[in-house]
Amino acid sequence: MPTLDVSELNIVVSILGIFTVLYGLVAVKIKGVWYLGEALPAVLIGMLLGPIAAKFLDAKRWGSAAEDQQDAITLGVMRVMIGIQLVIAGYQLPARYIQLHCRAVIICLVPIMALMWLATSVCILATIPKLTLLATLVIGACVTSTDPILSQAVAKGPFADKYVARPLREIISAEAGANDGFASPFLMLAVNLLRLTEHRQATLVERGRGVGADTRDVGIALGNWVIETLIYIVLLATVYGVVTGYCARIGVRFSLSRRWIDSESYLLFPTALGLFIVGTCGALGTSDLLACFVAGCALNWDGQFLAETERRHDEVNSCIDVILNFGGFMYIGTAIPWQEFHQPDTTGITYPRLLGLGVLVLLFRRIPALLLTYKTMPGVIKNWKEAVFMGYFGPIGVGAVYYLQHTRLLFPKEEVASARERELLDAICPVVYFLVLFSILVHGLSIPVLSAIYKFCNVRPITEDAVEIRRRSIYMATPVNAFMCDRETFIVYNRFFRPLANIASLPIAHPRTRNNSDSILTGSEEEKRSQAQIVPISRADSASTA
């Protein structure tokens, strides 16, 4: 006899499915006209359907509904979500990008990240009371890295295709991919300096050893940091990513030469590689995020893997990106700890303080560091305007939630934690989640606002690196950075992927008339021409049947 089964699994997959369907029906409007992306709508849906509102989605009720299971679920979701997308971000960079732009990448990973870490920590120290300097350094390290998923809106999205120069887009994508793994040294340095242990033998590599009353303990903490973090976490993850990516590239090349690998397996290869690295690095205890990005870069080191995906018209990895973004950001919306955003009696955290912290972090976390260092990277950042743009669009997102959950595992439970550890554990969750929410809202709405400003100021879209691409369907919308060449092709400008065609045979700077400009923005004239060529599906079917 049929029975009603309103299980948690059925609820989750139903909501994810209907949201994906409804979003997809108007995806061109959301992405190409309103420039909203996937993160902001997904987070809002998660907030509305989560435990704070409709109570349809609640990770605490999933599975066995064990106590404290949400922390483990959150960490697992973030690891898989970031790991797969970091492999994709790595192989989509140009061939040997890290080697050719090693100076700019090192500047982004060392001095800029250090300045971001210190500036964020000072902002937290100035706004959140009852926290020590070391505690703010730990929280600041969690939100130091720029989110590789949210950064794609200004690196690969429609707005970037239209207005952001390719060198700037490439360094934004490379920095966001690499600095997620390089946040570990800053975090572990602060953690090693904060952890207090008493009545323990002062051995160099004792994992639980921290800073005690003896000043010699600082040396022990630094020794732990060098061995455990710099060598085991960072260096081992880098080597592991290089070896894994190199072996994967050789294996793919061998299979392609013998035509053993089909299109489905080839296009799914980055996803499978990301899952493998996340699992093995998790078992080894090293940085899966850094290994995933390095492996992605090594996979496309000679440029052949990306070139082959272009020849095969890869839409698989972009679809995987979308479904991961929907599920991951919807989950973040359900996990936001609203009840912890106002606790004046314990941590001193209040909504006005958190709002002030968000504004300070937005203004001082990245922009000053980029303005101080952009002249050392003339190949990727041309002027101070691009430095401000790159500094402003350094969103905080999934990576911060990952480091939040990872940090909580490094400390004992609050019942047995020391006083300073309890202060940190009480404050880190609301501070990090609020900064993530603030960044998703502000950066998600900044691109539509900036697009409106550009239109009002009559800023001309970039018309460089023209490439002819084939239109795969007459019902396919014209990209915002393209115009129709004929019924079967587009001429596309400023693609993130470097052109595979001979650019000399194509127009490099297409002269724009009012109609051409409108066609790229709204598709007015050329959209009318394409609409005239479109045959209604029902009529086409009836004609073919006849």
Side-chain angles (χ1 to χ4, degrees), residues 6 143 145 212 341 367 480:
V6 191
V143 296
S145 61
F341 287 167
I367 295 177
V480 295

Side-chain angles (χ1 to χ4, degrees), residues 149-217:
I149 300 170
L150 295 175
S151 296
Q152 302 312 311
V154 291
K156 302 175 185 176
F159 177 84
D161 289 337
K162 199 170 180 182
Y163 292 113
V164 185
R166 182 193 286 163
L168 185 61
R169 300 167 67 185
E170 290 173 347
I171 192 60
I172 289 175
S173 183
E175 181 203 19
N179 70 8
D180 253 35
F182 270 87
S184 295
F186 302 103
L187 173 64
M188 295 308 299
L189 177 59
V191 168
N192 276 283
L193 292 174
L194 178 66
R195 281 187 301 192
L196 294 173
T197 57
E198 298 178 358
H199 310 299
R200 288 194 180 187
Q201 183 181 358
T203 56
L204 182 64
V205 294
E206 186 179 354
R207 182 172 290 273
R209 184 67 180 176
V211 180
D214 196 333
T215 56
R216 291 176 298 179
D217 284 349

